[in-house]
Amino acid sequence: MKHKSATMSNATFVRPAKFYLSGFTNVPHVKYFYIFPCFVYIMTVLGNGLLLLVIYLDKTLHTPKYMTVFNLALTDLCGSTALRPKVLDTFLFDNRYIVYEACLTNMFFVWCLQSWTLVVMAYDRFIAICFPLRYHSIVTKPAIVAMLLFVWFFLLSLITCMVGLIDRLSFCGSVVIQSFYCDHGPTFRLACNDTSVNYKMGVFIFTVMLCFPPALIALTYICIAIALSRIASGKERVKAFKTCTSHLILVAIFFLPNLSTNIAALTSYIHPNARIINYTLIHTIPPLLNPLIYSLKTEEVLNSIKKICKKNGISSINLSKK
């Protein structure tokens, strides 16, 4: 499908006014599928919003560990909000055209920073188990803030560069994006001019965001396993390992579907609708489960929720008496 309305800066450069998102076409009963991500998005906002509020209100949670948890919840909330409402508007109400500038904005904001936040969390567990006596002197608030700020600055700079390179492309042919959002790969492949720089940038960002982090996390857990093997008591080994289980579950939920889908797409043929549904679940499930697995079920967070509720209950009673 070609869109007639396009702007031309010269005879060879074409910038379309709009792109057309073709995701979920020819999928039977697809409107019923939209109910699921809509429900999940509501639960994601509630779960991550509650976690952010609890950490903000309870000063006992203002620790390096919960600073990384706060950052994970924030990135989950931002990533879901950037993607989910637009997807529902696009397909539920059949608003499949998206303005060129809005498409680039969508492409920028859907990229998430969870992968490197999970690396920072792995670093926290590594120091806690391998250097327990030095934990509080190494893992400090300034150190975690510096690490998280570096992650945000470095990754956002890469994403800005990647999206900016789209602007140099000429789209003189089809403007149909084979995805449910302005995905980088399906978008730059529509261009008529040389896309080799865009391809290399895409591979580089894929490597930085989805290959390096699990490799670093695996390395930290090899070190943790070596440290645990030196503990004489089996009971103490199990107790130390239990502090890592929540993080390992999050790592598995985030990286395994991402890596398997991308590797399968590179090495074999995947039907576009199957790939799109896989990516929908990848963008939907982890942000929902992260606050449940890592924080809301922990005793510290549950005690903080009870304390905040009790404090607010007492305050409301005192106000009513006055």
Side-chain angles (χ1 to χ4, degrees):
M1 183 183 295
K2 296 182 181 180
H3 198 272
K4 293 180 181 179
S5 176
T7 56
M8 296 185 65
S9 57
N10 53 51
T12 58
F13 187 85
V14 180
R15 176 177 293 170
K18 295 179 181 180
F19 286 107
Y20 183 88
L21 302 173
S22 68
F24 299 115
T25 51
N26 301 320
V27 178
H29 310 295
V30 70
K31 287 201 174 183
Y32 296 108
F33 177 75
Y34 297 144
I35 297 170
F36 171 71
C38 181
F39 171 76
V40 169
Y41 173 66
I42 292 168
M43 298 306 296
T44 299
V45 171
L46 290 174
N48 286 286
L50 175 62
L51 183 57
L52 290 171
L53 185 65
V54 170
I55 294 173
Y56 176 76
L57 292 176
D58 191 353
K59 291 185 178 180
T60 61
L61 296 179
H62 292 184
T63 61
K65 174 186 172 181
Y66 281 100
M67 286 169 69
T68 58
V69 172
F70 187 94
N71 188 73
L72 183 65
L74 182 63
T75 55
D76 283 340
L77 193 59
C78 292
S80 295
T81 303
L83 181 64
R84 208 70 56 232
K86 179 58 187 170
V87 169
L88 292 170
D89 174 62
T90 300
F91 299 109
L92 201 58
F93 302 105
D94 206 29
N95 296 326
R96 290 178 176 267
Y97 282 103
I98 182 168
V99 177
Y100 177 84
E101 291 78 10
C103 185
L104 296 192
T105 304
N106 179 249
M107 189 185 296
F108 177 85
F109 283 106
V110 296
W111 280 89
C112 50
L113 312 180
Q114 288 99 321
S115 57
W116 281 93
T117 304
L118 292 170
V119 172
V120 176
M121 288 178 163
Y123 169 77
D124 174 85
R125 292 298 83 211
F126 166 72
I127 300 297
I129 292 173
C130 297
F131 305 98
L133 299 178
R134 297 175 59 195
Y135 175 78
H136 292 291
S137 62
I138 297 173
V139 184
T140 61
K141 287 183 186 179
I144 293 297
V145 168
M147 291 173 74
L148 293 176
L149 286 176
F150 174 76
V151 166
W152 276 84
F153 177 77
F154 177 65
L155 295 184
L156 289 180
S157 298
L158 283 182
I159 296 166
T160 302
C161 185
M162 180 193 72
V163 175
L165 287 171
I166 295 289
D167 210 37
R168 56 178 279 279
L169 299 178
S170 176
F171 298 90
C172 56
S174 173
V175 291
V176 179
I177 298 174
Q178 299 287 336
S179 186
F180 63 101
Y181 69 101
C182 288
D183 198 356
H184 177 253
T187 303
F188 83 73
R189 290 190 188 98
L190 297 175
C192 304
N193 52 344
D194 181 27
T195 60
S196 58
V197 175
N198 301 81
Y199 173 77
K200 289 173 184 176
M201 190 65 184
V203 170
F204 178 67
I205 288 186
F206 173 76
T207 304
V208 168
M209 287 197 165
L210 289 176
C211 296
F212 281 166
L216 289 173
I217 291 169
L219 184 62
T220 61
Y221 274 102
I222 290 169
C223 296
I224 287 170
I226 293 169
L228 291 176
S229 67
R230 293 172 180 168
I231 299 175
S233 170
K235 189 176 179 181
E236 289 299 316
R237 279 200 297 268
V238 172
K239 185 180 177 182
F241 183 74
K242 277 185 177 179
T243 64
C244 303
T245 53
S246 294
H247 179 256
L248 283 171
I249 293 169
L250 292 188
V251 169
I253 289 170
F254 182 81
F255 286 110
L256 290 181
N258 260 301
L259 289 173
S260 59
T261 301
N262 281 286
I263 291 169
L266 290 171
T267 57
S268 61
Y269 173 77
I270 298 180
H271 191 278
N273 284 335
R275 183 180 64 84
I276 287 166
I277 289 171
N278 281 346
Y279 277 125
T280 304
L281 297 175
I282 288 167
H283 283 90
T284 300
I285 302 300
L288 171 68
L289 296 181
N290 285 350
L292 298 175
I293 292 170
Y294 202 89
S295 300
L296 294 181
K297 70 168 191 171
T298 63
E299 193 174 343
E300 288 172 303
V301 175
L302 291 175
N303 287 337
S304 295
I305 293 171
K306 290 175 186 176
K307 186 166 67 175
I308 292 167
C309 290
K310 188 176 178 182
K311 183 180 177 182
N312 289 338
I314 292 169
S315 299
S316 62
I317 290 169
N318 290 334
L319 284 170
S320 63
K321 285 181 179 179
K322 289 179 182 179

